[in-house]
Amino acid sequence: MTRLRLQNVEKSYDAISVIKGIDLTIDSGEFVVFVGPSGCGKSTLLRMIAGLEEITHGQLLIDDEEMTHRPATERGIAMVFQSYALYPNMTVRGNLAYPLEVARRPKAEIASAIAETASKLHLTELLDRLPRALSGGQRQRVAIGRAIIRKPRIFLFDEPLSNLDAELRLQMRIEIARLHASLGNTMIYVTHDQLEAMTLADRIVVLRQGRIEQTGTPLALYHDPDNLFVAGFIGSPRMNFIDAEIAAIAEGEIQLRLSAPGIESLTMSIGAPCREGQKVRVGIRPEHVQPATGAGPGHFSAELTYCEQLGHTNYLYLNIGSEQMLVVEERQVEQRELGSQVTLAIPPQHCLLFDENGQRLR
Ligand code: ADP
Ligand code: MG
C-alpha cells in the first residue's frame, strides 16, 4: 500500500508563486498523470514530491507519514527524467547496478536484480553497451530500469518520452502501461501531451498556472469537463467553441443565438441558473458535428476551407463566419472539394455550455 497525499501544497521562488495550493490524494497502485501546458508547474510539483525541491507551504504525506521535509533518499521514490540522466562511462549493466551498489547490496543480489530487470525491459542483449551506443528508446528503458531495480514504493516520470520520435513514443507508452500493470506501484507521470495522459492514466490531473483545473478519469474529463480550459485541452483536434448569447429561457430550455452567421439558433436544456442576454460559449467536439443532407431543422451549410485526409477519417475545416473555424470529423470519408459547401447539423445533446468566466453551465 502506498498512498500519497498533498495538502495545500505551495511553492514560491522568492516572490514568484509557482504552485498555488494543491490538494490531492493518490491511491495505492494508481497511475496518475499530471498534464498541462509548458510552464504550469508540473515538474516543480513532481520534484517537490520526490524531495528535489523544498515545499514552501503545506504537507506531503506518504502512507499517512509526514514527509514534507524528509530527504529524497528516505521517501522510497524513484524518478525517471526526460534527459535519461545515465552515466555515460558506465555500461547498461553498470548503470543498472549503480543504485544497488550505492545501497551496498550483496553482489549476488545485484546480479540477479540486473538479470530480472533487463529481461523485463528487453535489455538483456544490451547489458555490455555504453549509453552512447543505444537508441533513444533503449536509453529511456535503461533509465526506467535503474528506477525499478531499487523497488521503490512510488515511481515518478517527468516527460520520459518527449525526446523520442512518434512511433517509439507509442511503443514506450505501451511498455510503461504494461510495466504499471505488472508492478502495480503507485505512479505519477508528467506530460504536456494530452494523448499520453488519456492513454496512460487511471486518473488525470489537469494543471494550469500552478493550480488544479480538474481531476478525473480520462473519459470523465473528455465528456464532462468542468471548464473551458479542460474542454479545450483534452481532445485532438480540440473542441470547437462558438460565441453565443442566451436569447430566451423557458421551462428549463434555453435558446441560444450563435455568433456564427450561417448557424441557426440552438436550444439546450440547462439546470444551472442563467439569464437572458448572458454571453456564453457553446462547445462541440469535432466528432459530434454531423454531416447532413438537405434542409432540416438546425441544418446549416458552410464553406470548406481546408481538409485533412487521414485515410480512415477526414477533418473538415469550415468557415462559419466572423473568422471562426469549425472543425468536423467525418468518418464516412468522401472526396471533398475545397471551396464547396458542406451541410451540417449540430446536435444540441452533444453541446456543452460555458459562462463568461469559462465555467461550465450544466
Ligand atoms: P512545467 O514542468 O509544467 O513545464 P515547471 O514546473 O518547470 O513547469 O515550471 C513552472 C514555473 O516555475 C515556470 O514558470 C518556471 O519559470 C518557474 N520556475 C521553475 N524553476 C524556477 C526557479 N528555480 N526559479 C524561479 N522560477 C522557477
Ligand atoms: Mg517540466
Side-chain angles (χ1 to χ4, degrees), residues 13 16 18 36-45 53 158-159 190:
Y13 295 102
I16 306 161
V18 174
S38 179
C40 71
K42 304 179 294 294
S43 295
T44 305
L45 189 56
E53 292 281 353
D158 192 354
E159 311 233 12
V190 158

Side-chain angles (χ1 to χ4, degrees), residues 8-33:
N8 194 25
V9 162
E10 294 178 20
K11 174 78 188 177
S12 355
Y13 295 102
D14 300 323
I16 306 161
S17 164
V18 174
I19 299 292
K20 301 164 185 167
I22 300 283
D23 285 298
L24 182 69
T25 300
I26 296 174
D27 282 330
S28 185
E30 231 189 332
F31 197 137
V32 168
V33 177

